[in-house]
Amino acid sequence: MNTRLTWICHGATAASRRALFSLDEPLEAKAEEEAGKIAALPRADRIVTSPALRARQTAEALRLEALADPALRDCDHGRWAGRPIAAVEAEEPESLMAWMTEPAAAPHGGESLVDLRKRVAGWMDTQSTLGGHVIAVSHAAVIRAAVAHVLQAPPSSFWLSDVEPLAILRMTSNGRRWSLRFQH
């Protein structure tokens, strides 16, 4: 069964501009405006979004009627949520370095990058059994995990993808494997 998956990263927030571990913050006004300018997306059989406010607002700005799916939530940053990355680095440099270099580590008490990837891969596998076209509005971390999964890359490759706000990435599945899809 063939499946097309269109990932859309949510728009920018004040937290992303200030390099904070995210909470459930709203989009910046400019991000809503930018999302509204994106060309019409193709018809989809399913449209889903992370339950986070910033993802739901992005879907609304794109004029998408999406259902929230908890599997598309952002990485759980535990006790670091809402804190500046620079402050965590100053106070817990070893913990931050462990999280960034050891994909199975979760020194913040939240979700490890390995666990994030397993969650995203499981969601993608479910979508490939359903077929059709899926549009998913989610987070940069979720999309990075999806890319690593598709490429069958080692967990350490997570940090090698840069996903900007409102980025669109397409993938396809033939029911046996996923592929990245580049188009003009």
Side-chain angles (χ1 to χ4, degrees):
M1 182 168 301
N2 292 326
T3 305
R4 290 183 304 142
L5 173 56
T6 301
W7 289 104
I8 303 172
C9 186
H10 66 75
T13 66
S16 62
R17 297 245 189 249
R18 294 185 0 237
L20 304 176
F21 284 101
S22 61
L23 289 170
D24 195 17
E25 66 272 354
L27 289 179
E28 293 180 331
K30 183 178 179 184
E32 285 189 69
E33 181 182 318
E34 289 172 355
K37 292 179 182 177
I38 291 178
L41 296 164
R43 187 194 70 72
D45 299 296
R46 294 176 305 287
I47 303 172
V48 291
T49 183
S50 160
L53 178 61
R54 58 198 180 276
R56 289 183 288 121
Q57 287 179 325
T58 299
E60 289 170 14
L62 291 167
R63 296 169 297 287
L64 298 173
E65 292 185 32
L67 295 174
D69 188 329
L72 297 178
R73 70 190 180 279
D74 202 357
C75 185
D76 177 359
H77 295 113
R79 61 186 165 77
W80 294 349
R83 300 198 54 221
I85 294 170
V88 172
E89 183 177 27
E91 296 167 16
E92 304 179 53
E94 297 85 14
S95 295
L96 183 63
M97 185 55 67
W99 181 68
M100 294 185 73
T101 60
E102 300 168 27
H108 45 56
E111 188 173 29
S112 74
L113 298 178
V114 167
D115 290 338
L116 171 67
R117 181 170 167 170
K118 285 179 188 174
R119 171 168 51 91
V120 173
W123 181 84
M124 290 173 66
D125 291 345
T126 298
Q127 298 307 306
S128 71
T129 65
L130 299 173
H133 181 211
V134 184
I135 294 176
V137 181
S138 194
H139 309 275
V142 170
I143 298 170
R144 281 188 193 124
V147 168
H149 172 62
V150 168
L151 296 177
Q152 300 175 14
S156 60
S157 68
F158 177 84
W159 299 108
L160 300 177
S161 298
D162 189 15
V163 181
E164 294 185 357
L166 300 176
I168 298 175
L169 180 68
R170 292 174 174 85
M171 299 177 174
T172 58
S173 172
N174 63 6
R176 292 183 305 280
R177 67 175 179 79
W178 283 95
S179 302
L180 292 177
R181 181 178 186 192
F182 297 91
Q183 61 189 75
H184 60 89

